[in-house]
Coordinates of all heavy atoms in Angstrom, one line a residue:
N12 N 102.7 79.3 77.8 CA 103.9 78.7 78.6 C 104.1 79.5 79.9 O 104.3 80.7 79.8 CB 105.1 78.8 77.7 CG 105.1 77.9 76.5 OD1 104.6 76.7 76.6 ND2 105.6 78.3 75.4
I13 N 104.0 78.8 81.0 CA 104.1 79.4 82.3 C 105.5 79.6 82.6 O 106.4 78.7 82.5 CB 103.4 78.5 83.3 CG1 101.9 78.4 83.0 CG2 103.6 79.1 84.7 CD1 101.2 77.4 83.9
N14 N 105.8 80.8 83.1 CA 107.2 81.2 83.5 C 107.1 81.3 85.1 O 107.4 80.4 85.8 CB 107.6 82.4 82.9 CG 107.9 82.2 81.4 OD1 108.3 81.2 81.0 ND2 107.7 83.3 80.6
T15 N 106.8 82.5 85.5 CA 106.8 82.7 87.0 C 105.5 82.5 87.6 O 104.4 82.9 87.0 CB 107.3 84.2 87.3 OG1 108.6 84.4 86.7 CG2 107.4 84.4 88.8
M16 N 105.5 81.8 88.7 CA 104.3 81.6 89.5 C 104.5 82.3 90.9 O 105.6 82.4 91.4 CB 104.0 80.2 89.8 CG 103.7 79.4 88.5 SD 103.4 77.6 88.9 CE 102.9 77.0 87.3
G17 N 103.4 82.8 91.4 CA 103.5 83.5 92.7 C 102.3 83.5 93.5 O 101.2 83.1 93.0
W18 N 102.4 84.0 94.7 CA 101.3 84.2 95.6 C 101.3 85.6 96.1 O 102.3 86.1 96.6 CB 101.4 83.2 96.8 CG 101.1 81.8 96.4 CD1 102.1 80.8 96.1 CD2 99.9 81.1 96.3 NE1 101.5 79.6 95.8 CE2 100.1 79.8 96.0 CE3 98.5 81.5 96.5 CZ2 99.1 78.9 95.8 CZ3 97.5 80.6 96.3 CH2 97.8 79.3 96.0
Y19 N 100.1 86.2 96.1 CA 99.9 87.5 96.7 C 98.8 87.4 97.8 O 98.1 86.4 97.8 CB 99.4 88.5 95.6 CG 100.4 88.9 94.6 CD1 100.9 88.1 93.6 CD2 101.0 90.2 94.7 CE1 101.8 88.4 92.7 CE2 101.9 90.6 93.7 CZ 102.3 89.7 92.7 OH 103.3 90.1 91.8
R20 N 98.8 88.4 98.6 CA 97.7 88.4 99.6 C 97.2 89.8 99.8 O 97.9 90.7 99.6 CB 98.2 87.7 100.9 CG 99.3 88.6 101.7 CD 99.7 87.8 102.9 NE 100.7 88.6 103.7 CZ 101.3 88.1 104.8 NH1 101.1 86.9 105.2 NH2 102.2 88.9 105.4
Q21 N 96.0 89.9 100.3 CA 95.4 91.1 100.5 C 94.5 91.0 101.8 O 93.6 90.3 101.8 CB 94.5 91.6 99.4 CG 94.0 93.0 99.5 CD 93.3 93.5 98.2 OE1 93.0 92.7 97.3 NE2 93.2 94.8 98.1
A22 N 94.9 91.8 102.8 CA 94.2 91.8 104.0 C 93.1 92.9 103.9 O 93.2 93.8 103.1 CB 95.1 92.1 105.2
P23 N 92.1 92.9 104.7 CA 91.0 93.9 104.7 C 91.5 95.3 104.8 O 92.3 95.5 105.8 CB 90.1 93.5 105.8 CG 90.3 92.0 106.0 CD 91.8 91.8 105.7
G24 N 91.2 96.1 103.9 CA 91.6 97.5 104.0 C 93.0 97.8 103.6 O 93.5 98.9 103.7
K25 N 93.7 96.8 103.1 CA 95.1 97.0 102.7 C 95.3 96.6 101.2 O 94.5 95.9 100.6 CB 96.0 96.1 103.6 CG 96.0 96.5 105.1 CD 97.1 95.7 105.8 CE 97.1 96.1 107.3 NZ 98.1 95.3 108.1
Q26 N 96.4 97.1 100.7 CA 96.8 96.8 99.3 C 97.3 95.3 99.2 O 97.8 94.8 100.1 CB 97.8 97.8 98.8 CG 97.3 99.2 98.6 CD 98.3 100.1 97.9 OE1 99.5 100.0 98.2 NE2 97.8 100.9 97.0
R27 N 97.2 94.8 98.0 CA 97.7 93.5 97.7 C 99.2 93.5 97.7 O 99.8 94.4 97.2 CB 97.1 93.0 96.4 CG 97.5 91.6 96.0 CD 96.8 91.1 94.7 NE 95.4 91.2 94.8 CZ 94.5 90.9 93.9 NH1 95.0 90.4 92.7 NH2 93.2 91.0 94.0
E28 N 99.8 92.5 98.3 CA 101.3 92.5 98.4 C 101.8 91.1 98.0 O 101.1 90.1 98.1 CB 101.7 92.7 99.9 CG 101.3 91.7 100.9 CD 101.8 91.9 102.3 OE1 102.8 92.8 102.4 OE2 101.3 91.3 103.2
L29 N 103.0 91.1 97.4 CA 103.6 89.9 97.0 C 104.1 89.1 98.2 O 104.8 89.7 99.1 CB 104.8 90.2 96.1 CG 105.6 89.0 95.6 CD1 104.8 88.1 94.7 CD2 106.9 89.5 94.9
V30 N 103.7 87.9 98.3 CA 104.2 87.0 99.3 C 105.4 86.2 98.9 O 106.4 86.1 99.6 CB 103.1 86.0 99.7 CG1 103.5 85.0 100.8 CG2 101.8 86.8 100.2
A31 N 105.3 85.5 97.8 CA 106.4 84.7 97.3 C 106.2 84.5 95.8 O 105.1 84.5 95.3 CB 106.5 83.4 98.0
S32 N 107.3 84.2 95.1 CA 107.3 83.9 93.7 C 108.4 82.9 93.4 O 109.3 82.7 94.1 CB 107.5 85.2 92.8 OG 108.8 85.7 93.0
I33 N 108.2 82.2 92.3 CA 109.1 81.2 91.9 C 109.2 81.1 90.4 O 108.1 81.1 89.7 CB 108.8 79.8 92.5 CG1 109.8 78.8 92.1 CG2 107.4 79.4 92.1 CD1 109.7 77.4 92.9
T34 N 110.3 81.1 89.8 CA 110.5 81.1 88.4 C 110.5 79.7 87.9 O 110.5 78.7 88.6 CB 111.8 81.8 88.0 OG1 112.9 81.0 88.4 CG2 111.9 83.2 88.5
S35 N 110.4 79.5 86.6 CA 110.4 78.2 86.0 C 111.7 77.5 86.3 O 111.7 76.2 86.3 CB 110.2 78.3 84.4 OG 111.3 79.1 83.8
G36 N 112.8 78.2 86.5 CA 114.0 77.6 86.9 C 114.2 77.3 88.4 O 115.2 76.7 88.8
G37 N 113.2 77.6 89.2 CA 113.2 77.3 90.6 C 113.7 78.4 91.5 O 113.9 78.2 92.7
R38 N 114.0 79.5 90.9 CA 114.5 80.6 91.8 C 113.3 81.2 92.5 O 112.3 81.6 91.9 CB 115.2 81.7 90.9 CG 115.8 82.8 91.7 CD 116.5 83.8 90.8 NE 117.2 84.8 91.5 CZ 117.9 85.8 91.0 NH1 118.1 85.8 89.6 NH2 118.5 86.7 91.7
T39 N 113.5 81.4 93.8 CA 112.4 81.9 94.7 C 112.7 83.2 95.2 O 113.9 83.6 95.4 CB 112.1 80.9 95.8 OG1 113.3 80.8 96.6 CG2 111.7 79.5 95.3
N40 N 111.6 83.9 95.6 CA 111.7 85.2 96.2 C 110.6 85.3 97.2 O 109.4 85.0 96.8 CB 111.6 86.3 95.2 CG 111.8 87.7 95.9 OD1 112.6 87.9 96.8 ND2 111.1 88.7 95.3
T41 N 110.9 85.6 98.4 CA 109.8 85.7 99.5 C 109.9 87.0 100.2 O 111.0 87.6 100.4 CB 110.0 84.5 100.5 OG1 111.3 84.6 101.1 CG2 109.8 83.2 99.8
A42 N 108.8 87.5 100.6 CA 108.7 88.7 101.4 C 109.4 88.5 102.8 O 109.3 87.4 103.3 CB 107.2 89.1 101.6
D43 N 109.9 89.6 103.3 CA 110.6 89.5 104.6 C 109.7 89.1 105.7 O 110.1 88.4 106.6 CB 111.3 90.8 104.9 CG 112.4 91.1 104.0 OD1 113.0 90.2 103.4 OD2 112.8 92.3 103.9
S44 N 108.4 89.5 105.5 CA 107.4 89.2 106.6 C 107.1 87.7 106.7 O 106.6 87.3 107.8 CB 106.1 90.0 106.3 OG 105.6 89.6 105.1
V45 N 107.4 86.9 105.7 CA 107.1 85.5 105.8 C 108.3 84.6 105.6 O 108.2 83.4 105.7 CB 106.1 85.1 104.7 CG1 104.8 86.0 104.8 CG2 106.6 85.3 103.3
K46 N 109.5 85.3 105.4 CA 110.7 84.5 105.2 C 111.0 83.6 106.4 O 110.9 84.1 107.5 CB 111.8 85.5 104.9 CG 113.1 84.8 104.4 CD 114.1 85.8 103.9 CE 113.5 86.6 102.7 NZ 114.5 87.6 102.1
G47 N 111.3 82.4 106.1 CA 111.6 81.4 107.2 C 110.3 80.7 107.7 O 110.5 79.7 108.4
R48 N 109.2 81.2 107.3 CA 107.9 80.5 107.7 C 107.2 80.0 106.5 O 106.6 78.9 106.6 CB 107.0 81.5 108.4 CG 107.6 82.1 109.7 CD 106.6 82.9 110.5 NE 106.1 84.1 109.7 CZ 104.9 84.3 109.3 NH1 103.9 83.4 109.6 NH2 104.6 85.4 108.7
F49 N 107.2 80.7 105.4 CA 106.5 80.2 104.1 C 107.5 79.7 103.1 O 108.6 80.3 103.0 CB 105.7 81.4 103.5 CG 104.6 81.9 104.3 CD1 104.3 81.4 105.6 CD2 103.7 82.8 103.8 CE1 103.2 81.9 106.3 CE2 102.6 83.2 104.5 CZ 102.4 82.8 105.8
T50 N 107.1 78.7 102.4 CA 107.9 78.2 101.3 C 107.1 78.0 100.1 O 106.1 77.3 100.1 CB 108.6 76.8 101.7 OG1 109.3 77.0 102.9 CG2 109.5 76.3 100.6
I51 N 107.6 78.5 99.0 CA 106.9 78.3 97.7 C 107.6 77.3 96.9 O 108.8 77.1 97.0 CB 106.9 79.7 96.9 CG1 106.0 79.5 95.7 CG2 108.3 80.1 96.5 CD1 105.7 80.9 95.0
S52 N 106.8 76.5 96.2 CA 107.4 75.4 95.4 C 106.4 75.2 94.2 O 105.3 75.7 94.2 CB 107.6 74.1 96.2 OG 106.3 73.6 96.7
R53 N 106.9 74.4 93.2 CA 106.1 74.1 92.1 C 106.3 72.7 91.6 O 107.4 72.2 91.7 CB 106.3 75.2 91.0 CG 107.7 75.2 90.4 CD 108.0 76.4 89.5 NE 107.3 76.3 88.2 CZ 107.1 77.2 87.4 NH1 107.6 78.4 87.6 NH2 106.5 77.0 86.2
D54 N 105.3 72.2 91.0 CA 105.4 70.9 90.3 C 105.1 71.1 88.9 O 103.9 71.3 88.5 CB 104.4 69.9 91.0 CG 104.5 68.5 90.4 OD1 105.0 68.3 89.3 OD2 104.1 67.6 91.1
N55 N 106.1 71.2 88.1 CA 105.9 71.5 86.7 C 105.1 70.4 85.9 O 104.3 70.7 85.0 CB 107.2 71.7 86.0 CG 107.9 72.9 86.4 OD1 107.3 73.9 86.7 ND2 109.3 72.9 86.4
A56 N 105.2 69.2 86.4 CA 104.4 68.1 85.8 C 102.9 68.3 86.0 O 102.1 67.9 85.1 CB 104.8 66.7 86.3
K57 N 102.5 68.9 87.1 CA 101.1 69.1 87.4 C 100.7 70.6 87.1 O 99.6 70.9 87.3 CB 100.8 68.8 88.8 CG 101.1 67.3 89.2 CD 100.7 67.1 90.6 CE 100.9 65.6 91.0 NZ 100.6 65.3 92.4
N58 N 101.7 71.4 86.7 CA 101.4 72.8 86.5 C 100.8 73.4 87.7 O 99.8 74.2 87.6 CB 100.5 73.0 85.3 CG 101.2 72.7 84.0 OD1 102.4 73.0 83.8 ND2 100.5 72.1 83.0

């Protein structure tokens, strides 16, 4: 059963960082570096 989904990114020579996440209830969290530019969403019917 899937709860939280998210996106991470890793640039060359850098550590992996959290970009955005979204809970099963639709609560989102985004990194300050992408806030206002990136939007995370989910389609539960399509997982």
Side-chain angles (χ1 to χ4, degrees):
N12 292 321
I13 298 174
N14 291 328
T15 302
M16 297 180 172
W18 291 94
Y19 290 73
R20 68 184 182 185
Q21 186 170 19
K25 296 184 178 180
Q26 291 185 319
R27 187 175 300 182
E28 64 176 347
L29 175 66
V30 178
S32 64
I33 183 169
T34 67
S35 59
R38 185 176 183 180
T39 61
N40 184 35
T41 58
D43 290 338
S44 60
V45 304
K46 192 170 298 182
R48 299 187 298 118
F49 292 8
T50 302
I51 189 170
S52 62
R53 62 190 289 170
D54 186 337
N55 290 330
K57 298 180 179 180
N58 291 321

